[in-house]
Amino acid sequence: MKKMLTALSLMFITTVTLADDAQIKAQLNKLGATDIEVKESPIKGMKTVVTNEGVLYTTEDGKYAIQGKLFELTDKGAVDVSGKALYSTLESYKDEMIVYPAKNEKYVVTIFMDITCAYCQKLHNEVKEYNDLGITLRYLAFPRGGLDTNTAKQMETIFTASDKAFALTEAQNGHLPKELKTPNIVKKHYKLGIQYGVRGTPSIITSSGELIGGYVPAKDLLRMLEG
């Protein structure tokens, strides 16, 4: 009898959870949100919701929502919890990234970049400085003008090249690809950048999911990662 009651209780909890998740999705769909994924939240009574526009936090009944970053306050400072919710998706794109590994790797950062961005080019020209400090750089594509641009199509050509690193360096040296491809991989990267709240390039994502906006010199970035 006890086993039956336990099983029934678990079924009830699961059913309620699924109903609540469906209600949250229905409410957000009415507001135009798409690609909705409901997850558990570190806040009791709330759910983490990943949408095409970013991360939200809603009450379990879907009646109230909070938009913005959520931080966990620790002895070492504030930790960006919202970024963590997207990091598993970011990691799933690692085979599509252009990677410049550090030999004595201490930290890994992922950078949303645009081949027409002057500060992205400056950062790229200093790859060795980051690598020498133990920082591995990984690039994702974020065409600032959107997906209906030649830049997006050129970046698709670069990110699908047999030697992506060479193709990117060529582009940064002014030799842009002549072949234009319909954004596919770039579309995924761009969508993730929007979810992270990327508004410009370069935008740096740390291994904890925190977003650092703008160009940061190698030594300054190392201090930030160590802190």
Side-chain angles (χ1 to χ4, degrees):
M1 179 64 75
K2 286 184 178 180
K3 287 184 179 179
M4 184 181 293
L5 288 173
T6 301
L8 287 171
S9 296
L10 289 172
M11 286 177 63
F12 175 76
I13 291 168
T14 302
T15 303
V16 170
T17 300
L18 290 174
D20 288 344
D21 290 357
Q23 189 171 351
I24 290 169
K25 289 181 179 180
Q27 290 288 77
L28 292 176
N29 273 325
K30 292 176 185 177
L31 299 175
T34 60
D35 303 326
I36 300 168
E37 182 182 1
V38 182
K39 303 181 179 183
E40 292 303 313
S41 165
I43 303 175
K44 187 177 180 180
M46 302 283 287
K47 289 291 184 81
T48 301
V49 186
V50 179
T51 77
N52 61 312
E53 294 293 336
V55 179
L56 303 171
Y57 298 92
T58 72
T59 52
E60 291 181 338
D61 59 7
K63 289 184 68 176
Y64 300 95
I66 300 171
Q67 185 175 24
K69 287 188 176 295
L70 176 67
F71 293 92
E72 178 185 2
L73 304 180
T74 71
D75 293 339
K76 294 184 178 180
V79 178
D80 184 353
V81 177
S82 302
K84 281 185 177 180
L86 297 168
Y87 199 74
S88 60
T89 302
L90 183 148
E91 279 296 297
S92 72
Y93 297 161
K94 62 184 179 181
D95 291 337
E96 302 170 2
M97 299 176 183
I98 301 176
V99 183
Y100 296 86
K103 289 183 179 179
N104 300 310
E105 185 179 278
K106 298 176 183 177
Y107 301 99
V108 177
V109 298
T110 307
I111 303 166
F112 287 97
M113 61 86 64
D114 180 323
I115 56 174
T116 65
C117 163
Y119 278 104
C120 293
Q121 185 169 4
K122 178 174 173 59
L123 188 152
H124 188 69
N125 290 338
E126 297 167 4
V127 165
K128 187 177 183 300
E129 294 180 31
Y130 294 91
N131 287 169
D132 286 347
L133 293 176
I135 303 172
T136 289
L137 303 184
R138 309 188 304 183
Y139 289 147
L140 289 173
F142 191 85
R144 294 170 297 170
L147 297 172
D148 296 325
T149 60
N150 280 347
T151 298
K153 296 170 185 176
Q154 289 167 334
M155 292 185 79
E156 182 72 22
T157 301
I158 292 167
F159 276 81
T160 56
S162 56
D163 188 339
K164 296 190 284 285
F166 175 77
L168 176 60
T169 299
E170 283 289 285
Q172 297 292 61
N173 288 333
H175 307 297
L176 296 172
K178 295 180 181 178
E179 181 184 7
L180 302 180
K181 290 187 177 182
T182 302
N184 181 15
I185 286 175
V186 168
K187 182 178 181 179
K188 292 194 297 179
H189 297 183
Y190 184 79
K191 173 187 169 184
L192 181 61
I194 294 295
Q195 290 177 313
Y196 261 109
V198 172
R199 295 293 179 265
T201 56
S203 284
I204 302 168
I205 309 295
T206 70
S207 58
S208 66
E210 180 184 1
L211 185 150
I212 302 170
Y215 163 80
V216 181
K219 290 182 179 179
D220 292 343
L221 181 58
L222 179 63
R223 281 194 290 270
M224 295 172 76
L225 296 172
E226 289 175 335

